Amino acid sequence: MRRAILGAILLAGGLMAGLPALAQTPPAPRREAIRIGIMSDLSGSFADVAGPGSVVAAQLAAEDFGGRVAGLPVQILSADHQNRADTGSAIARRWFDTEAVDAIVDLPNSAVALAVGEVARNANRVALVTAAVASRLSGDLCSPNLIHYSLDTWSMSNVPSRALVQQGGNTWFYITADYAFGHDLERQSTDAVTRAGGRVVGSVRHPLGTTDFSSVLLQAQASRASVVALANSQADFINSVKQTSEFGLTRRGQRVVGLAVYISDIVSLGLEATQGAIVVGNWYWDLNDGTRRFGRRFAERMGGRMPTDLQANVYAAVTHHLKAVAALGASTDGRAVVAGMKAAPTEDTVFGRGEIRPDGRRISPVYVFQIKAPADSASRYDVYRLLREVPVEEAYRPIAQGGCALVQGGGG
């Protein structure tokens, strides 16, 4: 009897020894929400053009979608990347790995956007770039996990550069922000100027957040270039424009041109200082009934501020992303979601109808505006007069010229 009992115990122990693998396998985690992270510059040089307003735009998009997708609530998170690629990458890894974030949106600062795009690719999640403008995002650094919504440096430089050379601006000098965005903007504009028959006579670079442009502007002045092009943006653009006036560049016959200008810049500088300038953009709050409705709703939550085109991009990107996620049954497969976004036309009340190319480039109308004179403006944000809608073939880099492996058949 003792032998029988001992044998039974040993047999039971042997059977249980084979069970730990089953007992230790955790159940699949229950999906609690669709999480979208707005990674932006919440307090620095890009805060006005993106920043807290981008968070509001995402919230409006989620609300308009009904607040739920495939039975799950939509949650909007936010974080400040502080204009540092390493900080942005660390936030992205934490969001993807431990906080179940499905997509990261906004990403002003091209160096940050490029870094976060790579993290999204490795994690197989989604990056929707609605603020950074480096053309490489849909070029040689394109990704099956990334879509580029904001205008890129090719569009922002080619459209005005060609026009200014044709108007007699034959010699160019660049004042360039010393990071990926500025470098790309200068390179694209230089190519456009050269192709149009113009000539670059010099350039100088400055760090992000520069407040004193004295030495830079002295070099621009000494160049005697007919066009001084500002390949910078936000606080850098505003500071450099103010100081060009102090140095009297325009009085000496040099034309100062901003290549990346947003409505918040114009409001900050005032119409007296900017009237008559030409601006290229893909959205303006006073274009039609749909843009005006969105503008008013946004302004109610932002203390009267109208949205920039970058903040409108956030609304469009989040809306289209939620449509794709819903169609796939709340899938967490980033490549599948991005493929679904490319397969369906983009359509919303803020931008109307558009498309996303295989290289990840969102295609929507591009406009040329002229800044109004103070006497023609009815309110603080009534700053643009529409001159023309640019044909798509002129507004965007031809897809075959970008070097994207997704187009060339390399699979990304």
Side-chain angles (χ1 to χ4, degrees):
M1 176 66 71
R2 285 160 119 184
R3 286 180 184 157
I5 293 172
L6 181 59
I9 292 172
L10 292 173
L11 177 61
L15 289 172
M16 291 181 69
L19 292 179
L22 293 175
Q24 291 174 7
T25 301
R30 188 170 66 86
R31 191 149 159 75
E32 298 178 348
I34 306 298
R35 294 192 172 98
I36 297 174
I38 307 303
M39 190 188 299
S40 193
D41 174 2
L42 298 178
S43 57
S45 58
F46 297 106
D48 285 344
V49 75
S54 292
V55 179
V56 167
Q59 292 168 342
L60 289 171
E63 292 168 13
D64 289 352
F65 205 81
R68 302 183 72 84
V69 173
L72 298 172
V74 178
Q75 297 178 353
I76 305 297
L77 290 70
S78 64
D80 190 340
H81 60 49
Q82 300 173 21
N83 288 304
R84 294 179 54 182
D86 57 345
T87 299
S89 295
I91 294 169
R93 282 191 289 269
R94 186 185 79 239
W95 272 356
F96 290 146
D97 294 345
T98 66
E99 298 184 33
V101 168
D102 297 275
I104 294 178
V105 188
D106 204 26
L107 300 167
N109 187 310
S110 293
V112 176
L114 290 165
V116 171
E118 188 61 22
V119 175
R121 181 176 185 150
N122 292 335
N124 192 23
R125 296 299 173 88
V126 176
L128 304 176
V129 181
T130 58
V133 298
S135 61
R136 299 186 71 189
L137 289 160
S138 60
D140 63 315
L141 295 180
C142 69
S143 163
N145 295 80
L146 183 147
I147 294 175
H148 196 184
Y149 270 78
S150 48
L151 287 184
D152 60 26
T153 50
W154 193 97
S155 299
M156 299 171 83
S157 58
N158 271 261
V159 173
S161 297
R162 287 198 306 262
L164 286 169
V165 173
Q166 291 168 2
Q167 294 172 12
N170 295 321
T171 54
W172 286 58
F173 184 95
Y174 291 89
I175 296 175
T176 303
D178 194 10
Y179 66 106
F181 154 75
H183 302 168
D184 202 15
L185 194 61
E186 179 185 335
R187 179 176 59 84
Q188 298 283 359
S189 177
T190 295
D191 290 345
V193 167
T194 303
R195 286 197 307 271
R199 182 168 57 92
V200 175
V201 297
S203 67
V204 62
R205 293 178 174 177
H206 66 83
L208 182 67
T210 295
T211 56
D212 185 358
F213 284 86
S214 300
S215 63
V216 170
L217 292 171
L218 285 172
Q219 293 179 62
Q221 194 177 74
S223 74
R224 300 184 181 276
S226 56
V227 177
V228 176
L230 304 177
N232 54 18
S233 66
Q234 299 310 288
D236 290 331
F237 170 77
I238 291 170
N239 286 330
S240 53
V241 168
K242 287 179 178 177
Q243 291 174 45
T244 56
S245 176
E246 296 170 9
F247 275 76
L249 268 65
T250 54
R251 291 196 301 272
R252 291 177 170 84
Q254 291 179 296
R255 185 168 185 179
V256 179
V257 178
L259 297 176
V261 183
Y262 301 99
I263 188 172
S264 53
D265 304 325
I266 304 307
V267 171
S268 177
L269 287 164
L271 296 183
E272 192 68 46
T274 57
Q275 61 182 306
I278 302 300
V279 175
V280 175
N282 68 342
W283 192 83
Y284 175 50
W285 71 269
D286 200 20
L287 279 173
N288 54 54
D289 289 342
T291 60
R292 284 187 282 273
R293 280 194 298 270
F294 176 71
R296 285 192 292 269
R297 291 176 61 209
F298 180 95
E300 286 173 0
R301 300 196 187 186
M302 288 295 294
R305 291 186 179 186
M306 284 295 179
T308 66
D309 46 357
L310 302 186
Q311 292 157 344
N313 286 336
V314 171
Y315 181 94
V318 171
T319 298
H320 198 52
H321 175 262
L322 293 177
K323 289 179 182 178
V325 171
L328 292 169
S331 172
T332 60
D333 184 338
R335 288 179 180 81
V337 171
V338 167
M341 293 178 73
K342 291 179 179 179
T346 62
E347 188 162 13
D348 56 71
T349 58
V350 176
F351 279 89
R353 194 174 177 87
E355 64 174 301
I356 298 172
R357 297 192 316 197
D359 59 356
R361 171 73 266 165
R362 190 273 301 265
I363 303 295
S364 66
V366 174
Y367 307 98
V368 177
F369 301 104
Q370 185 174 40
I371 298 174
K372 291 183 175 181
D376 298 328
S377 174
S379 64
R380 186 183 184 198
Y381 286 89
D382 178 23
V383 298
Y384 290 160
R385 174 182 293 104
L386 178 63
L387 294 183
R388 67 186 285 250
E389 181 176 332
V390 183
V392 169
E393 59 272 16
E394 293 181 26
Y396 295 96
R397 178 178 59 197
I399 191 169
Q401 295 179 12
C404 174
L406 300 175
V407 175
Q408 298 170 349

